Amino acid sequence: MKPRVVVFSISALAGTLREIARDYSATANIELVSKAYEDALAFARQRYYTDTADVFVAAGSNGAFLQNQLEAPLVVIRTDGFDLMQALAVARQSSAQVGLVTYETAFDELAQFSRAFDIPITTRTYRTPEDARRSVRELAQLGMEVIVGPGLVNEIAQEMGIESVLIYSHQGVRKAFDEALRLASAKASGAPRAARQTYTYHTEQDILGDSQSVQNLRSTIRLCGSIDFSVLIQGETGVGKELVAQSIHAASPRAGKPFVAINCASLTETLLESELFGYEEGAFSGAVKGGRAGMFESAQGGTVFLDEIGDMPLAFQTRLLRILEDGSVRRIGSAVARKADFRLLAASHVNLQRALEEGHFREDLYYRLNEMLILIPPLRERPEDIEALAGHFLRTTPVRVSKSRFEEFLRLALPILKSLHWPGNIRQLKNVCKRAAVLMSQDVDLKNWKSWFPDLFVASSVVVQVPSIQAQGVSPVIDDEGNRMNEFALAYSRAGKDERRQIVLKALDAVGGEVQKVAAGLGVSRSTVWRLGKGG
């Protein structure tokens, strides 16, 4: 069957997409869909989970929105410095009064182009369609006669009677389509979506921040990418261990091959065994006809990422060690060993040396994994990066809030955000920013922003007032409960597997069993709270 690719566009880019899609008609079924944002998200989820689409493609703000919301393979059409210079050169043929509007960030190459062609270029950035319209209007009032930008910006400029040039090149669109076909091929390996990932789009440049520890981390990622060693990634919950793993894969010679990931703590032992090693037809009740390859086979030539490897049962650790030593894997129900060429990355937020001493982790496997070691620093040790992280999370939230309101919130909140402990690290900060975006979209005074976070700030002997939340019938959180949750969060970030379950149970008991409240307080997902606290 041909790969099934859905491409979203509601702007002037649609014509270019349609033109290039014709060149792929022999190798793929490419469907252009005129939807964006929430409509595109709902459409993509319906198509993906009914198995009527393999990969999705989008661009600009629509692509950024989907990238943060969609749980399916997505390729965002990118632009680089070459695309920018090419588009500006075309615009310059019509007029010297050229304005540039880009999504979120400006291009570093802009100053270089401006000097080379002796052209002063006036720029604006946008996040929402309203921002884009305002930016184009401002440039028109400044006398700009040609506007360069993404499809949405071109459409707005044309509505205002201003000449426009698309910033996207045919080469960039083809690159995105080629990547979509590669992801579709990886998906065809048959990996269950909930447990595995056979695509990757993160690189070291997606690790935000300019602190010395982040710069060192990027350098270590490049080093690990250049050598085909096993890498053990350690860090507290929420620091971004999978992002680092994807970045290592992207920096390695295996980057064009599958990146297959599995969370060892998310599956029962039976499911984990079939996912890791695969199975033959008839190996057990419910085994699919023809059998199925495990993740080591599926990653042929690529990278396997084992997240939370500290939770892997000892029996599986023995089998994993054997696979690493002889490079072959036996499916469940088979006596035949199959060669598997892959590079292994593993991660854990528990101290594996302590687990080793307690007999929960094999010593020989630990040293086999630990050919290279990456320790990701917690967020509290690099507070200077919080501004860049919070700014990014606010700009990419699906809530429509003006750029100036985000900037005002950051001005007020940053000094305090930088002083917090952040037991849930970057994941917790992201949740805080998402909540802030929702609440600041209402008609509230930003000076009261601390009242939006009763789980972060607790005034002594005072009930925290959150008017916009209380209006929806949600009870406020008192100081004692908030203090206890902070204690639970700190203990959770330092605990082993068995201890984490006890902490979650105590936290649930403290808040009357409210899963959402515990998830927010500990900086973890609802499913993690449910698995540890409810499902045992």
Side-chain angles (χ1 to χ4, degrees):
M1 186 190 339
K2 292 181 183 178
R4 300 160 299 178
V5 181
V6 172
V7 183
F8 292 112
S9 180
I10 58 170
S11 67
L13 180 59
T16 300
L17 294 171
R18 188 173 295 106
E19 175 187 343
I20 295 175
R22 295 192 191 101
D23 297 338
Y24 289 80
S25 59
T27 55
N29 292 320
I30 298 180
E31 176 184 358
L32 268 65
V33 176
S34 182
K35 292 182 182 294
Y37 305 110
E38 291 87 353
D39 291 340
L41 178 62
F43 183 88
R45 283 174 171 165
Q46 189 275 331
R47 292 292 296 273
Y48 190 63
Y49 288 109
T50 56
D51 200 25
T52 54
D54 300 313
V55 187
F56 301 88
V57 177
S61 56
N62 191 29
F65 172 81
L66 292 174
Q67 191 172 42
N68 281 275
Q69 301 293 320
L70 184 61
E71 316 86 354
L74 172 75
V75 178
V76 177
I77 301 173
R78 308 285 186 185
T79 54
D80 56 22
F82 176 80
D83 295 334
L84 171 66
M85 293 185 183
Q86 193 175 44
L88 290 173
V90 171
R92 180 68 179 83
Q93 294 174 3
S94 298
S95 172
Q97 301 301 314
V98 177
L100 172 67
V101 182
T102 56
Y103 178 69
E104 284 199 337
T105 57
F107 283 84
D108 295 335
E109 295 85 355
L110 185 60
Q112 177 185 348
F113 181 89
S114 183
R115 287 194 303 269
F117 290 87
D118 193 25
I119 304 172
I121 300 171
T122 307
T123 65
R124 294 289 186 275
T125 60
Y126 75 96
R127 184 178 171 276
T128 66
E130 292 77 14
D131 290 338
R133 187 170 296 278
R134 182 176 61 253
S135 296
V136 174
R137 186 180 300 112
E138 288 176 359
L139 291 176
Q141 291 170 350
L142 291 172
M144 300 301 109
E145 296 176 349
V146 184
I147 303 294
V148 174
L152 173 65
V153 171
N154 273 243
E155 198 169 78
I156 293 171
Q158 290 166 13
E159 288 176 5
M160 296 182 181
I162 306 170
E163 187 176 347
S164 62
V165 176
L166 267 177
I167 198 171
Y168 299 107
S169 68
H170 281 220
Q171 180 184 2
V173 173
R174 290 183 186 280
K175 185 177 180 180
F177 282 4
D178 289 343
E179 175 66 4
L181 297 189
R182 187 188 71 78
L183 296 185
S185 297
K187 176 178 175 290
S189 64
R193 298 182 187 110
R196 295 193 204 161
Q197 179 176 327
T198 55
Y199 55 96
T200 173
Y201 48 80
H202 286 302
T203 71
E204 61 171 279
Q205 297 306 315
D206 294 311
I207 300 174
L208 301 178
D210 292 312
S211 65
Q212 188 60 52
S213 59
V214 168
Q215 293 179 39
N216 293 341
L217 178 60
R218 293 195 189 106
S219 297
T220 304
I221 287 170
R222 289 193 293 271
L223 174 62
C224 290
S226 67
I227 52 179
D228 207 34
F229 289 0
S230 296
V231 181
L232 179 60
I233 305 166
Q234 293 212 257
E236 295 178 5
T237 182
V239 294
K241 293 185 286 293
E242 182 161 354
L243 187 151
V244 169
Q246 289 195 20
S247 300
I248 293 172
H249 173 74
S252 76
R254 297 178 181 267
K257 300 295 183 179
F259 175 90
V260 184
I262 191 168
N263 188 310
C264 299
S266 66
L267 301 175
T268 65
E269 288 191 18
T270 302
L271 285 175
L272 181 61
E273 182 179 26
S274 63
E275 286 298 302
L276 288 172
F277 310 114
Y279 55 83
E280 293 290 358
E281 179 178 344
F284 51 82
S285 177
V288 300
K289 185 177 181 180
R292 172 173 287 172
M295 64 182 303
F296 299 114
E297 287 184 72
S298 299
Q300 199 66 242
T303 300
V304 171
F305 174 55
L306 298 179
D307 198 5
E308 299 303 352
I309 195 170
D311 292 322
M312 178 179 283
L314 280 170
F316 292 174
Q317 293 178 30
T318 302
R319 292 181 65 180
L320 173 59
L321 181 63
R322 187 175 301 117
I323 291 170
L324 293 175
E325 288 176 343
D326 63 21
S328 61
V329 60
R330 283 186 176 86
R331 296 184 183 183
I332 301 171
S334 174
V336 178
R338 293 174 167 83
K339 283 294 180 182
D341 171 27
F342 63 89
R343 192 245 189 114
L344 183 67
L345 308 177
S348 176
H349 81 276
V350 300
N351 188 321
L352 288 185
Q353 284 189 316
R354 190 171 76 174
L356 186 155
E357 294 166 359
E358 295 172 351
H360 299 313
F361 203 82
R362 289 186 59 112
E363 183 176 14
D364 44 8
L365 178 59
Y366 174 78
Y367 291 116
R368 182 64 178 79
L369 295 173
N370 195 17
E371 292 178 338
M372 293 293 289
L373 176 66
I374 293 181
L375 298 175
I376 306 178
L379 185 57
R380 62 182 170 276
E381 293 182 5
R382 51 186 186 103
E384 61 268 43
D385 294 328
I386 288 178
E387 181 174 2
L389 288 162
H392 173 75
F393 294 145
L394 288 170
R395 289 192 302 271
T396 54
T397 181
V399 182
R400 306 293 178 82
V401 179
S402 69
K403 183 179 178 182
S404 61
R405 198 157 174 80
F406 280 150
E407 291 173 348
E408 174 66 9
F409 169 75
L410 287 175
R411 185 185 67 79
L412 293 169
L414 268 176
I416 295 178
L417 294 181
K418 289 180 177 180
S419 70
L420 297 179
H421 184 73
W422 297 112
N425 290 287
I426 297 171
R427 184 184 297 125
Q428 185 183 13
L429 175 62
K430 183 176 183 179
N431 289 340
V432 165
C433 291
K434 288 167 71 174
R435 189 193 307 180
V438 170
L439 295 178
M440 77 173 71
S441 67
Q442 305 175 30
D443 187 18
V444 294
D445 186 350
L446 288 182
K447 293 179 180 179
N448 297 324
W449 71 272
K450 285 194 287 186
S451 68
W452 304 343
F453 303 101
D455 46 343
L456 288 180
F457 307 105
V458 184
S460 57
S461 305
V462 178
V463 174
V464 179
Q465 300 295 324
V466 192
S468 58
I469 294 179
Q470 285 178 274
Q472 301 174 27
V474 179
S475 300
V477 181
I478 62 172
D479 55 339
D480 288 343
E481 180 181 291
N483 277 327
R484 292 205 66 192
M485 192 58 68
N486 285 337
E487 293 173 2
F488 289 139
L490 180 59
Y492 184 93
S493 70
R494 298 173 176 173
K497 178 182 177 182
D498 295 336
E499 295 167 321
R500 293 200 307 272
R501 181 171 184 272
Q502 294 304 316
I503 292 167
V504 169
L505 288 171
K506 290 178 181 178
L508 285 168
D509 184 62
V511 297
E514 294 187 39
V515 173
Q516 178 58 47
K517 194 173 289 185
V518 173
L522 298 184
V524 300
S525 67
R526 287 170 55 93
S527 61
T528 297
V529 174
W530 184 263
R531 175 173 55 82
L532 292 176
K534 300 291 188 179

